[in-house]
Amino acid sequence: MGISLTANTGAEYFGTVGVAMVTPFDRDGALDVNAGRKLAAHLVSNGIDALVLAGTTGESPTTTLDEKVALIKAVREEIGDSAKIIAGAGTNSTATSIAAAQASAEAGADSLLVVTPYYSKPTQEGLVQHYTAVASATDLPICLYDIPGRSGIPVESDTIRRIAELPTVKAMKDAKGNMFEAAPLIQETGLAWYSGDDPLNVPWLALGATGFISVVGHAAPALLRELRTSFEEGDLARTREINANTMQVLAVQQALLGGATFAKAALRLQGIEVGDPRLPVVPADDAQMEVLRRDMKKAGVL
């Protein structure tokens, strides 16, 4: 017997097994649209049903709005309706976030990922007003993104409850990891919940999460899909095996290198060239590549 997930899954807007896709660059550091097409097709053909474009791993702070829009259009043309495109539209400026949301909607995104405004450290009331303004700018479904390690502040439980009342807010990507607080929120708010931290993917499923928005999924898309399927089907032994032997091994490397650096290096080792990150993010050095190669072999993805 399978394990039932939450009734309001949100999969129709955000998929179930997502990857926060890197933004490919060429040797000169310019956007490589063709590489983006190929990577998107590779991930989708291996079981990924949602791609976050222009998220943190997509190097959103160092890519222009024109580059973001160009990648959305190219990936939409490449994959059609075979996977959801979730556009990262959150910044620390409400006006800039609105502009990104509207441009992403026009480019063909299915939904939006809107991170907590970073650096500015707004009050909780400021967060409510920010999300209200961004949500009012388009008709696209919105996934909140709570990651206090990057934003500097958490979205508090009562604030999540208030923001969840906005009609287009449909989901939460949780990289805060406070499961004690999140468990009742999943039930109370009706928001679809997505793991935003690969080491916690299985615990989040156990609490009723719909799925994941993953970084390590770049290196192991088919196994990431199998992990969720195994959980759904009640095969916890296989779920734990994939989690321990592949996902946790890769997650250690992702934590050491950082998301964009890890993902681009891992893809390079698999023969998928997407260029180096843009400064201030740096590529993996030779020693780091060798350790990554070893761990990817250990994880069964190389």
Side-chain angles (χ1 to χ4, degrees):
M1 180 179 294
I3 298 172
S4 63
L5 302 177
T6 51
N8 183 18
T9 68
E12 66 270 33
Y13 308 121
F14 309 102
T16 55
V17 179
V19 164
M21 197 179 97
V22 296
T23 299
F25 302 129
D26 62 22
R27 290 182 178 181
D28 297 322
L31 176 67
D32 190 335
V33 170
N34 288 332
R37 285 175 174 270
K38 292 177 183 177
L39 175 59
H42 163 74
L43 292 171
V44 172
S45 67
N46 280 279
I48 301 303
D49 65 1
L51 299 171
V52 174
L53 303 182
T56 308
T57 307
E59 299 180 70
S60 57
T62 53
T63 52
T64 67
L65 184 56
D66 285 345
E67 289 173 323
K68 293 174 172 70
V69 166
L71 187 60
I72 292 171
K73 289 180 176 178
V75 170
R76 172 57 74 209
E77 185 176 330
E78 181 69 29
I79 67 171
D81 295 327
S82 59
K84 301 299 181 184
I85 293 178
I86 307 168
T91 72
N92 62 345
S93 161
T94 303
T96 302
S97 301
I98 288 172
Q102 292 172 334
S104 298
E106 187 175 345
D110 294 295
S111 52
L112 304 172
L113 180 70
V114 183
V115 71
T116 313
Y118 41 85
Y119 189 77
S120 304
K121 287 191 173 182
T123 63
Q124 296 297 303
E125 177 60 31
L127 292 181
V128 172
Q129 293 192 27
H130 170 80
Y131 279 111
T132 300
V134 176
S136 300
T138 78
D139 293 328
L140 291 187
I142 287 175
C143 180
L144 310 177
Y145 185 11
D146 190 7
I147 181 166
R150 288 185 182 273
S151 66
I153 57 168
V155 188
E156 294 176 1
S157 293
D158 285 344
T159 305
I160 294 170
R161 291 184 179 96
R162 291 177 64 189
I163 296 170
E165 294 176 0
L166 297 169
T168 57
V169 173
K170 302 293 187 182
M172 167 67 81
K173 178 185 177 185
D174 194 313
K176 181 164 58 182
N178 189 327
M179 295 183 173
F180 179 78
E181 288 187 1
L185 289 171
I186 293 172
Q187 300 300 319
E188 292 172 25
T189 64
L191 295 177
W193 224 262
Y194 289 83
S195 171
D197 190 8
D198 280 296
L200 298 181
N201 286 346
V202 174
W204 277 123
L205 288 179
L207 285 182
T210 294
F212 339 110
I213 297 175
S214 172
V215 175
V216 302
H218 283 92
L223 284 168
L224 188 65
R225 165 57 65 187
E226 187 183 351
L227 183 145
R228 185 182 182 277
T229 300
S230 296
F231 181 88
E232 266 196 305
E233 294 175 348
D235 188 350
L236 295 186
R238 179 59 178 155
T239 302
R240 292 167 182 151
E241 180 184 15
I242 296 170
N243 186 57
N245 296 341
T246 299
M247 298 305 160
Q248 297 296 340
V249 174
L250 296 176
V252 170
Q253 282 295 318
Q254 187 265 321
L256 289 171
L257 296 173
T261 300
F262 160 81
K264 289 191 167 185
L267 289 167
R268 179 172 286 163
L269 289 172
Q270 291 178 331
I272 302 171
E273 184 55 52
V274 290
D276 291 333
R278 284 178 176 170
L279 286 171
V281 179
V282 295
D285 61 29
D286 290 344
Q288 290 170 327
M289 289 293 283
E290 284 307 308
V291 175
L292 178 60
R293 185 192 304 274
R294 177 202 69 197
D295 280 2
M296 287 177 67
K297 287 181 178 179
K298 179 180 178 183
V301 297
L302 193 63

